[in-house]
Amino acid sequence: MNGAKVGFFSEIEKIMHGFGDVPNPLRMSVELMENLIKKELNEIIREAETVAEFRMSSKIDIEEIVFLLRRNKFKLRRIYKCLETKALGSKIEKDASEEFCKEEYDFDLARVDRLLRLEKLSQRNSKNERNLSHFVKALEELDTFGDLVDFCKEEGEPDLARVDRLLRLEKVSRDLDSARYEAFAKARTVRFSCAKQKFAQWALSGSELSSNITELAWLALDFLAFEAIGQIVDTSFLLRKTDHTTDSIQQRMPSLTSNPGFPSVYFGNAGLTCAGLLGKPLTPDEVSEAYRRLTTRIRVCLSGHQELLPKCLLI
């Protein structure tokens, strides 16, 4: 790294805004989020190394990531949808370029340039399709009864946590003018994968973890890191909503993620305007408390005593 510090401060700042924080989140909150996400990445890579050793594999591939996520079918479905969208997008772009290349040109140089671009698109399309096929194969190897693959491919059971997030972001966007909405929309497109080499360097910096990780596995880790920021921001606003509302009944209403009767009995953020909920940036204390709750699980012993155990946020 030549002594230079590698980080994703500006990207995480925009991602937090894309999940509903203010356009310029607090610097301390962004720095805390950066440290927490890197910590979680180190943890999941460490666990993936253990799985790879059991599989007698010399590298971390998508099979290790799928195995670690085997109990979280919604995250597996989100990764599948991400890979499927990439494959579909590159196919549409390739097909459009093929149609354009069939047209006659007055200058041969323009046609050559277009054919070169078409070749690059074809390579990208093949790569995205291979990634999707590899992920499905990893699911099939783990899925004994075949229901996990079907769950990822079909829109059966709704992903209530994602729906809850989309409803909140839609409510935020209502009060934005055109300039602020454009900035908000751009922030929602920011990903770690925009700088793949930098992401790998940042995730592994300061650790002795294996760097022998396939590109598809890095793509999954990139998506999981992005989703982890969303989870922390979602939980922070959920905690803030509980603190802000004075209605004792609304305080006790569950979020959409645990309310299967939506929309008939969904109160959600009722009574909270955009200004009331998002008028101030997330503080480090809110981020820290949300992270603590997300990374703690309760185990009840035979004696009835409850024990708090840590868990990896990305899994």
Side-chain angles (χ1 to χ4, degrees):
M1 292 188 300
N2 298 327
K5 182 180 179 180
V6 179
F8 275 89
F9 181 91
S10 60
E11 289 85 352
I12 292 177
E13 185 179 43
K14 293 175 183 176
I15 292 174
M16 289 177 65
H17 176 43
F19 280 118
D21 202 356
V22 296
N24 296 300
L26 294 177
R27 183 176 185 84
M28 292 182 63
S29 297
V30 179
E31 290 177 345
L32 175 61
M33 184 74 76
E34 185 179 19
N35 292 333
L36 294 177
I37 297 303
K38 182 178 177 182
K39 174 184 175 182
E40 291 300 312
L41 281 170
N42 287 343
E43 180 62 26
I44 191 173
I45 293 174
R46 189 174 295 109
E47 294 194 24
E49 282 184 339
T50 303
V51 176
E53 290 178 2
F54 277 110
R55 293 181 65 244
M56 292 184 289
S57 175
S58 60
K59 61 184 178 181
I60 296 175
D61 208 338
I62 192 64
E63 284 80 4
E64 282 71 30
I65 306 299
V66 168
F67 179 81
L68 293 175
L69 293 172
R70 65 192 183 279
R71 295 189 180 92
N72 196 328
K73 57 183 181 180
F74 286 106
K75 281 192 176 180
L76 287 173
R77 178 199 275 175
R78 292 180 192 179
I79 295 177
Y80 174 83
K81 294 298 181 183
C82 175
L83 296 174
E84 184 183 44
T85 302
K86 285 179 177 292
L88 180 61
S90 59
K91 184 179 185 302
I92 292 174
E93 191 175 5
K94 173 179 172 291
D95 292 343
S97 297
E98 286 178 345
E99 289 296 324
F100 194 72
C101 283
K102 293 177 182 179
E103 300 178 5
E104 295 296 331
Y105 289 89
D106 294 333
F107 300 99
D108 291 340
L109 183 61
R111 185 171 182 81
V112 170
D113 181 67
R114 198 67 188 181
L115 289 173
L116 289 174
R117 174 173 169 77
L118 178 60
E119 177 63 24
K120 291 181 180 179
L121 290 174
S122 299
Q123 293 176 0
R124 188 199 308 172
N125 180 53
S126 299
K127 179 180 176 182
N128 289 334
E129 290 181 346
R130 285 197 305 271
N131 286 341
L132 180 60
S133 299
H134 190 175
F135 181 76
V136 172
K137 183 179 178 181
L139 285 176
E140 291 172 343
E141 291 178 354
L142 184 67
D143 190 11
T144 306
F145 301 102
D147 54 344
L148 184 58
V149 176
D150 293 338
F151 178 85
C152 291
K153 291 184 177 182
E154 300 175 0
E155 290 292 346
E157 185 178 349
D159 190 345
L160 297 180
R162 185 172 182 274
V163 173
D164 202 9
R165 175 189 298 167
L166 293 176
L167 286 173
R168 176 174 59 80
L169 294 179
E170 192 276 333
K171 187 171 184 177
V172 170
S173 65
R174 293 179 190 175
D175 298 332
L176 302 178
D177 55 33
S178 57
R180 293 171 61 196
Y181 182 80
E182 183 180 1
F184 177 65
K186 288 182 178 179
R188 294 187 66 182
T189 64
V190 177
R191 299 291 188 275
F192 293 105
S193 56
C194 296
K196 298 179 182 179
Q197 187 175 0
K198 178 184 175 183
F199 178 68
Q201 191 177 12
W202 170 68
L204 298 174
S205 62
S207 68
E208 297 181 355
L209 297 171
S210 171
S211 59
N212 194 5
I213 304 175
T214 65
E215 185 176 353
L216 181 54
W218 275 122
L219 185 61
L221 291 173
D222 156 43
F223 183 81
L224 291 173
F226 173 80
E227 280 291 315
I229 297 177
Q231 285 182 270
I232 295 175
V233 173
D234 290 344
T235 306
S236 298
F237 283 132
L238 185 62
L239 295 175
R240 181 182 290 185
K241 183 193 76 170
T242 305
D243 292 338
H244 274 67
T245 181
T246 58
D247 188 344
S248 59
I249 296 179
Q250 186 177 332
Q251 284 182 343
R252 288 165 175 78
M253 284 300 299
S255 66
L256 178 58
T257 55
S258 57
N259 185 4
F262 173 83
S264 59
V265 294
Y266 177 61
F267 284 78
N269 296 333
L272 287 178
T273 62
C274 178
L277 185 64
L278 306 179
K280 62 178 183 178
L282 291 177
T283 65
D285 289 339
E286 290 174 324
V287 172
S288 180
E289 175 61 17
Y291 175 76
R292 184 191 69 80
R293 297 194 184 200
L294 287 168
T295 56
T296 303
R297 61 185 178 92
I298 300 177
R299 184 177 69 178
V300 180
C301 304
L302 294 177
S303 61
H305 174 71
Q306 293 185 346
E307 183 180 6
L308 298 180
L309 299 175
K311 67 176 182 179
C312 181
L313 176 60
L314 274 63
I315 300 175

